[in-house]
Amino acid sequence: MDEWRTDPTFAMCEALVDGAELSSFVGGPYDVRAVVAGIRPGAKDGFLLGEVPWEHFPQGDRAREAVHRLHAGDSPRAGTGVVGGMCANDMRAAAVLAVPFLIRIATDTRHPYRADALAEVSSPARARYFGVASRDELLLHRGNTRYDDLCDDYDDYGVEVTGYPAGWSVAAARAAITADTALLQPLLDDPDPAIRIHAAYALATAADPDRTVRAAFRTRLTSEQEPIVRAALVLATAEATRAHPHPPTTTWMQERWRDRTQAPEVRLAAAIGWLCLTDEPAHDDLRTTVDDLATDERAHTMDDLPWMAFAGGSGETGLQRCVRKMLHPEQPEPDDDPWALRH
């Protein structure tokens, strides 16, 4: 488990601990933002993995092997399981290098594991989100992710378990997704609902200052028939809007949860999105709407949405946890101690 200590980046992390300035490493061979930006389009499209310096980052060889095996059509666990596991273990830097290749596998309609690849695309682009369900933190892209704003400190993301600046990994992953939005957006129209959901989940992390991604979500909503996918598009719109505020969209979100003609999943997603986009107190009609619609059965259905699946914990579904944290903060946290006495 300590093999990452032998990779070159560990020397950078040691130097930082000893007082070196983070800015002295910006743009260099161990700045994953610069490395991702330097991958040639031809290398991405041709899966020329040898052109990418995987070995510069913790467990880079594992990430490269995972991409190679997944591209070759091996079991999804051999590929995406590695990338997701690295992110779960807070080692994202090398996983970021896999993002452009995972996107291309996901867009290959003949690939047997395209859905598995797409589900992992945005894993490195989010950090500190497991079990997060509060208004203040759900859908939040923490800290600055601009290239030149991460030079002098570690921003809100801190460091990964290896000591690597986590904000650099997150920023690089989002930049990789942003660079390939033209590949990802058509997946919003894919015949497979799971593909549509995870395409929205990935695109929600893209930089979208001109609102083209958010517009794509709204456009797809006009034709989408599956309630759970419609809910995904609403949450993706809310996440994109939280990163790039747009008051008319906040108002639109409010109109969606109030609209009784919308499917319950859509109204719940809109209520959660609206709560995350505004500091206004929760209206009584919103509380009533959510409490009426958030049945146990629907809460489990909503876990098909990655936002909700990752928000859950301690025996609660993501929806149940969001409702408690956002609307009933006076309620105690569930006791997840299996040895605790039950009365």
Side-chain angles (χ1 to χ4, degrees):
M1 295 299 294
D2 290 338
E3 66 269 17
W4 59 271
R5 292 178 179 274
T6 63
D7 75 74
T9 309
F10 183 65
M12 181 190 89
C13 297
E14 280 192 313
L16 293 171
V17 171
D18 292 338
E21 293 292 332
L22 183 59
S23 58
S24 65
F25 294 97
V26 168
Y30 309 125
D31 183 343
V32 72
R33 302 168 301 173
V35 172
V36 167
I39 302 176
R40 293 189 307 110
K44 300 176 188 178
D45 296 338
F47 282 82
L48 304 181
L49 305 184
E51 291 193 15
V52 180
W54 307 85
E55 68 280 0
H56 284 192
F57 302 96
Q59 297 192 4
D61 290 340
R62 289 187 65 213
R64 172 181 173 165
E65 179 66 13
V67 171
H68 169 73
R69 294 182 66 181
L70 186 63
H71 182 230
D74 284 354
S75 72
R77 180 173 293 277
T80 57
V82 171
V83 171
M86 290 172 65
C87 294
N89 290 331
D90 201 20
M91 299 177 70
R92 291 176 176 79
V96 170
L97 302 179
V99 169
F101 303 103
L102 291 174
I103 290 173
R104 282 154 180 79
I105 292 171
T107 60
D108 182 356
T109 57
R110 299 167 297 177
H111 200 285
Y113 303 121
R114 59 190 297 255
D116 300 278
L118 181 59
E120 298 295 335
V121 162
S122 63
S123 293
R126 291 180 171 90
R128 298 184 185 179
Y129 63 98
F130 287 102
V132 171
S134 68
R135 292 180 69 172
D136 290 340
E137 296 185 303
L138 186 70
L139 309 182
L140 177 65
H141 293 178
R142 292 172 175 78
N144 248 318
T145 55
R146 281 178 35 193
Y147 189 94
D148 54 354
D149 285 342
L150 292 174
C151 299
D152 300 321
D153 56 47
Y154 291 95
D155 73 32
D156 292 341
Y157 286 108
V159 297
E160 298 177 2
V161 68
T162 61
Y164 192 80
W168 285 15
S169 297
V170 172
R174 291 182 188 157
I177 290 168
T178 301
D180 282 331
T181 54
L183 295 178
L184 287 167
Q185 284 188 23
L187 299 183
L188 296 174
D189 299 317
D190 194 89
D192 185 346
I195 293 285
R196 301 199 296 275
I197 288 172
H198 284 287
Y201 189 59
L203 283 164
T205 65
D208 189 29
D210 57 0
R211 305 170 189 161
T212 56
V213 171
R214 187 166 58 209
F217 297 149
R218 296 278 293 272
T219 298
R220 177 61 207 179
L221 264 171
T222 63
S223 59
E224 180 59 58
Q225 299 299 310
E226 292 285 342
I228 197 65
V229 182
R230 290 179 61 82
L233 292 165
V234 168
L235 284 174
T237 300
E239 183 173 354
T241 304
R242 183 147 202 190
H244 304 282
H246 185 237
T249 298
T250 304
T251 301
W252 175 87
M253 202 72 59
Q254 184 178 49
E255 293 168 351
R256 296 284 80 71
W257 67 255
R258 283 179 166 166
D259 185 354
R260 294 177 179 272
T261 68
Q262 298 290 329
E265 294 84 355
V266 175
R267 296 182 71 192
L268 286 166
I272 290 169
W274 182 84
L275 286 167
C276 292
L277 292 176
T278 180
D279 294 329
E280 290 185 37
H283 308 292
D284 287 343
D285 54 342
L286 182 145
R287 292 176 181 273
T288 300
T289 296
V290 171
D291 287 342
D292 287 347
L293 296 179
T295 63
D296 287 346
E297 180 180 2
R298 195 162 288 129
H300 287 286
T301 297
M302 294 282 282
D303 266 355
D304 287 343
L305 303 173
W307 294 270
M308 295 294 97
F310 291 122
S314 300
E316 292 178 305
T317 67
L319 178 61
Q320 290 166 339
R321 192 173 181 85
C322 286
V323 171
R324 178 176 59 80
K325 298 280 284 187
M326 294 183 185
L327 299 179
H328 306 288
E330 75 284 355
Q331 294 181 1
E333 292 277 343
D335 188 349
D336 60 355
D337 180 0
W339 302 108
L341 293 175
R342 299 291 189 261
H343 297 288

